[in-house]
Amino acid sequence: EAQVTQNPRYLITVTGKKLTVTCSQNMNHEYMSWYRQDPGLGLRQIYYSMNVEVTDKGDVPEGYKVSRKEKRNFPLILESPSPNQTSLYFCASSSTGTVYEQYFGPGTRLTVT
Amino acid sequence: GESVGLHLPTLSVQEGDNSIINCAYSNSASDYFIWYKQESGKGPQFIIDIRSNMDKRQGQRVTVLLNKTVKHLSLQIAATQPGDSAVYFCVRESVRTGGFKTIFGAGTRLFVKA
């Protein structure tokens, strides 16, 4: 089954404790992206990657890091999480020929206390 | 800068009626406008897209209209069903050097009354 998976689905952590949210897709997509969703704000793009070893900032990259060492994986790293990073996070992927049609993962709900 | 905004945060329709969800945008430097549907507890799901050089596109029970003169986008759902209850996002996708820029609107929650 074609899908985007994220782990963990739920995470409660404390300020300053480094964490990684994994994202994996099995559709051989070149393009991958991370978003955060907050009430009343829709989804905002954090980082995206056009292909392996090619990443770029979205609209809200501060406090986040990403890497793209393999085509299928695009982890999101929070080196020192803060309470304002409490949010619902989505990973998405698509073919670069059809970036308008992104496939989203199920989401990761992160709470930073 | 670029943005997309929805006219109404919520919309309530009777089952079987047609639904129209509206969206306005600023600037016009976009290659695509897209509608996504998000059901409770799930990630957004692609519905339909329209290129910025088009006025209308139809899918299965859905039609998207793009009025570039007034910078307005709408999603029409025919014969609305309970399964259409969700949050709908209008999204603009712009090609830029080295990648793409994706901007989501705030979303309209559609309630379908039985």
Side-chain angles (χ1 to χ4, degrees):
Chain A
E1 179 189 356
Q3 60 182 351
V4 178
T5 57
Q6 297 178 225
N7 282 292
R9 294 289 314 280
Y10 303 90
L11 180 61
I12 300 174
T13 190
V14 296
T15 299
K17 186 176 181 181
K18 180 180 178 180
L19 67 91
T20 299
V21 184
T22 65
C23 173
S24 183
Q25 51 92 5
N26 62 1
M27 294 168 279
N28 201 36
H29 284 161
E30 301 88 5
Y31 181 89
M32 297 186 75
S33 184
W34 276 103
Y35 300 86
R36 61 178 288 173
Q37 183 173 25
D38 301 291
L41 296 178
L43 279 75
R44 292 179 293 168
Q45 192 173 42
I46 303 171
Y47 270 95
Y48 65 91
S49 170
M50 294 298 294
N51 213 324
V52 176
E53 302 291 2
V54 181
T55 63
D56 205 350
K57 297 176 181 178
D59 288 328
V60 289
E62 294 78 21
Y64 304 95
K65 287 175 58 178
V66 292
S67 69
R68 188 88 182 274
K69 299 189 187 310
E70 304 167 285
K71 197 172 186 179
R72 64 183 294 126
N73 296 323
F74 190 44
L76 178 69
I77 303 156
L78 284 72
E79 294 271 4
S80 182
S82 62
N84 64 13
Q85 293 178 297
T86 292
S87 188
L88 180 58
Y89 291 86
F90 288 100
C91 180
S93 74
S94 71
S95 167
T96 50
T98 55
V99 173
Y100 50 83
E101 185 174 353
Q102 296 185 35
Y103 293 81
F104 283 79
T108 295
R109 185 165 293 282
L110 172 66
T111 302
V112 183
T113 62
Chain B
E2 301 167 328
S3 69
V4 285
L6 285 162
H7 292 185
L8 292 172
T10 63
L11 176 66
S12 184
V13 299
Q14 197 70 37
E15 181 180 357
D17 288 351
N18 296 335
S19 303
I20 299 176
I21 302 172
N22 296 301
C23 181
Y25 63 93
S26 65
N27 284 329
S28 56
S30 293
D31 294 277
Y32 292 95
F33 291 92
I34 310 119
W35 285 97
Y36 280 87
K37 171 186 180 183
Q38 185 178 28
E39 296 175 289
S40 181
K42 297 183 178 180
Q45 180 182 13
F46 171 86
I47 303 174
I48 191 168
D49 67 282
I50 185 168
R51 291 205 69 156
S52 57
N53 60 358
M54 298 172 64
D55 299 321
K56 179 180 180 179
R57 189 158 188 222
Q58 288 184 292
Q60 187 177 13
R61 277 200 311 118
V62 295
T63 300
V64 57
L65 299 177
L66 177 61
N67 185 329
K68 293 177 282 293
T69 302
V70 296
K71 297 183 180 177
H72 182 270
L73 181 75
S74 69
L75 176 71
Q76 301 178 9
I77 305 173
T80 311
Q81 303 169 358
D84 294 326
S85 294
V87 178
Y88 290 82
F89 293 100
C90 65
V91 179
R92 61 190 300 174
E93 193 77 50
S94 305
V95 178
R96 57 179 177 174
T97 302
F100 298 87
K101 185 170 185 177
T102 306
I103 301 175
F104 275 72
T108 289
R109 183 173 293 279
L110 176 65
F111 294 97
V112 181
K113 297 178 288 187

